[in-house]
Amino acid sequence: QVQLVESGGGSVQAGGSLRLSCRTSKYIYSRYCMAWFRQAPGKEREGVAAVYTGAGPAYYADSVKGRFTISQDNAKSTLDLQMNSLKPEDTATFYCAAKWRGCGGTWSNLAEYDYWGQGTQVTVSS
């Protein structure tokens, strides 16, 4: 059974930072495009960032470019999301997700993802 387990959510004031982590199996980590999505109350789930271990660049939503950084710890098979300069509009439940092979131009299409974590809450107060 594939598991994606997120951690690191919490509450922070605007301008602060948080780091999220997603732990999964080495098989998933090394073969799947790994991504972070988020869903704010009353809004659709949206792609935040994605990366494929095998090759290719990292992808980011325009709203987080320059503030968020997606990275991987190959030794631990974890996907991290460093979030800096957080804004109240970043408040959401963040989900880790995985889809087979590369990320590509459709990385933010949530329908293409095969596996999802349970989510971790991020709350940014003004």
Side-chain angles (χ1 to χ4, degrees):
Q1 183 177 358
V2 174
Q3 281 191 315
L4 301 174
V5 181
E6 302 101 334
S7 61
S11 298
V12 66
Q13 289 190 326
S17 299
L18 283 173
R19 188 177 184 88
L20 306 182
S21 289
C22 173
R23 177 172 51 83
T24 187
S25 69
K26 189 172 291 294
Y27 178 87
I28 295 295
Y29 179 85
S30 62
R31 292 171 175 79
Y32 281 64
C33 168
M34 302 289 295
W36 287 98
F37 285 77
R38 67 184 179 185
Q39 188 166 19
K43 294 187 177 181
E44 295 186 351
R45 194 170 297 189
E46 62 176 3
V48 175
V51 68
Y52 175 50
T53 304
Y59 298 86
Y60 294 93
D62 288 343
S63 59
V64 306
K65 282 181 181 177
R67 300 188 299 123
F68 291 10
T69 303
I70 192 170
S71 63
Q72 298 169 290
D73 186 328
N74 295 332
K76 298 179 181 179
S77 297
T78 59
L79 178 76
D80 295 334
L81 185 69
Q82 178 65 42
M83 305 185 293
N84 298 327
S85 301
L86 282 162
K87 304 175 181 180
E89 51 262 44
D90 294 316
T91 295
T93 300
F94 281 69
Y95 298 90
C96 179
K99 69 168 183 170
W100 178 245
R101 289 301 183 185
C103 300
T106 59
W107 70 270
S108 60
N109 182 357
L110 58 88
E112 295 185 4
Y113 284 79
D114 303 298
Y115 303 106
W116 292 86
Q118 80 287 354
T120 185
Q121 178 66 36
V122 170
T123 302
V124 184
S125 59
S126 58

